[in-house]
Amino acid sequence: MTDHRTVCETALETMGAFRSPWLRAAFRTIERTDFVPDRIWLITADDEGTYPLVDRAGDESAWLAAVWDPHRSVAIQLDDGDVAATGPASGDFTSSVSAPDIVFEKLNHLDLEPGHRVLEIGLGSGYHTALLCERGAQVTSIDIDPDLVDAATARLKRAGYPARTVRGDGLDGHPANAPYDRIIATASVRDIPDAWREQAADGAIVLTPFNTAFADGGLLKLRAQDGVLSGTVVGSASYMPVRAHRWHHRLPSPDAYVQSASPVDPARVLDGTWAQSFALGLRVPDIHRTCRTGEDGRQAQLWDTGGTSVTVVAYAGWSEEGAVTQWGPRNLWAEVVAAYTAWRTSGQPHVTRYGLTYDDTGRTLWLDAPDKPVRLPPDQ
């Protein structure tokens, strides 16, 4: 029989996931299977768009393989708990036990020391919390879902970990235990809430999966000093968004529109690497995009998060009048193209050269250093 735990450890070792020495000991000490429900969904849809359910009682080998898979998360909740774990299902994943590779990669960036006061945003199953506790941190973990809080609290108690668990909105932090030396999120955000900045001690690290409306999947590491958070994108991390940062389309009036040609092939702008898309997303922080192929061919749809404007761009015949259709006051495609041109002109910098600063005046994007701010559309 395959020793899935050993396979997982070997994979993590090969990836350099234990470069912070305490992580190897934590991996070996904590029994991951104690923090995963007996019924889980695999995050791989079948041909009918449903996600297979793996039941430990019915197929323990398959369950263990899923739990210890070093590169894949397993879902423990769909549609905020409205879908019962009784069989294959469809819906939106709203809680998971994250894959070991990204869990340990994130923790390497946290620079965690014994005694640190840690605020964890997203209690989930409790596995990540147990890792923090194993380091000797004083952990306050918050989750918005009461059922998840109750289940994870029970698991942590059985395992002997003294984390303080709280039911609440993680975007508000938890001022009762502030200030914190480390703030780490296990769900993605599109912006850093003021509460995290206000509850971070001087010298604190804030580490969170970070999305833009345009592209998901960044990992942002900020340092706190004198009420200011500043730092860089240090890599990629694909996580479910916090509930308040889920995307919802809002449509402007469809009665009036303007048509024009595109100055560039949309494929050049929209079909690049993840790093390109994320860099553009940092430059157009309030523009969301989707792509679809229908009877009229392939199209990109752009939406602004304020719900004022929509722009549709046709791939075929992109240089012809009518390829771009704009509803509302903003030509979102022109803004995206301006961001693309500015990114190309600046030498196509990788996402890890970008940083963000949060202070009392708001948010500033910069390239290479905080004193080199990036101009954003429509001015760039």
Side-chain angles (χ1 to χ4, degrees):
M1 178 180 291
T2 302
D3 183 346
H4 297 290
R5 183 172 189 157
T6 298
V7 170
C8 183
E9 181 174 356
T10 300
L12 295 178
E13 173 70 38
T14 302
M15 296 173 62
F18 299 136
R19 59 187 181 273
S20 299
W22 72 271
L23 289 172
R24 185 195 310 279
F27 176 88
R28 291 176 174 175
T29 299
I30 298 170
E31 181 54 67
R32 182 172 165 90
T33 55
D34 290 344
F35 291 91
V36 181
D38 289 345
R39 292 181 176 182
I40 54 179
W41 286 281
L42 303 182
I43 306 184
T44 304
D46 60 21
D47 293 339
E48 297 179 357
T50 58
Y51 301 98
L53 183 84
V54 180
D55 188 340
R56 185 177 192 176
D59 191 343
E60 185 169 28
S61 178
W63 184 86
L64 287 170
V67 169
W68 289 109
D69 188 318
H71 310 302
R72 294 182 183 273
S73 304
V74 294
I76 62 175
Q77 187 188 75
L78 290 174
D79 292 347
D80 297 329
D82 290 341
V83 178
T86 56
S90 58
D92 293 325
F93 299 122
T94 49
S95 187
S96 69
V97 185
S98 298
D101 58 359
I102 188 56
V103 169
F104 284 83
E105 181 61 27
K106 282 176 60 189
L107 290 174
N108 276 299
H109 285 289
L110 194 59
D111 301 333
L112 186 62
E113 296 293 340
H116 273 160
R117 296 159 296 176
V118 179
L119 175 64
E120 178 189 46
I121 312 299
L123 174 59
S125 74
Y127 178 68
H128 189 271
T129 316
L131 289 166
L132 298 171
C133 291
E134 189 63 32
R135 180 57 167 158
Q138 302 174 49
V139 183
T140 299
S141 186
I142 186 167
D143 203 293
I144 200 168
D145 190 298
D147 292 334
L148 292 176
V149 171
D150 290 345
T153 301
R155 295 185 191 107
L156 289 164
K157 185 176 181 179
R158 285 195 299 269
Y161 291 111
R164 179 173 184 178
T165 57
V166 180
R167 193 277 190 203
D169 189 340
L171 296 182
D172 296 331
H174 189 66
N177 288 0
Y180 298 100
D181 303 300
R182 299 291 185 266
I183 298 175
I184 184 168
T186 64
S188 63
V189 297
R190 283 193 277 118
D191 225 343
I192 303 299
D194 287 340
W196 295 6
R197 180 170 59 87
E198 294 162 357
Q199 293 172 32
D202 277 354
I205 290 175
V206 176
L207 184 71
T208 181
F210 191 83
N211 293 341
T212 68
F214 195 78
D216 296 340
L219 181 63
L220 184 64
K221 181 178 181 178
L222 306 171
R223 281 276 188 182
Q225 192 64 46
D226 299 327
V228 177
L229 292 177
S230 190
T232 60
V233 178
V234 293
S236 61
S238 182
Y239 276 75
M240 301 169 193
V242 298
R243 293 190 185 187
H245 289 185
R246 293 174 184 169
W247 176 252
H248 301 284
H249 288 153
R250 288 181 286 179
L251 299 175
S253 170
D255 298 331
Y257 59 88
V258 177
Q259 291 189 310
S260 60
S262 171
V264 65
D265 184 347
R268 297 288 182 180
V269 181
L270 301 177
D271 295 351
T273 64
W274 166 80
Q276 172 181 319
S277 295
F278 197 81
L280 296 185
L282 290 170
R283 290 174 173 269
V284 286
D286 71 338
I287 297 179
H288 179 69
R289 54 95 180 245
T290 60
C291 290
R292 66 179 182 86
T293 302
E295 294 180 357
D296 297 328
R298 193 175 183 208
Q299 295 181 332
Q301 297 177 328
L302 307 172
W303 320 68
D304 74 316
T305 57
T308 68
S309 303
V310 175
T311 303
V312 175
V313 186
Y315 278 63
W318 57 267
S319 62
E320 301 172 3
E321 198 72 22
V324 179
T325 305
Q326 167 193 345
W327 291 267
R330 294 172 60 182
N331 185 333
L332 302 178
W333 181 238
E335 294 182 33
V336 170
V337 169
Y340 173 75
T341 301
W343 173 73
R344 296 272 302 187
T345 302
S346 60
Q348 304 177 52
H350 191 263
V351 292
T352 53
R353 291 176 57 192
Y354 286 98
L356 289 167
T357 295
Y358 287 86
D359 57 23
D360 289 335
T361 66
R363 160 179 163 174
T364 302
L365 175 69
W366 44 267
L367 182 63
D368 294 330
D371 61 354
K372 297 179 180 179
V374 174
R375 292 167 55 194
L376 302 182
D379 297 326
Q380 64 182 356

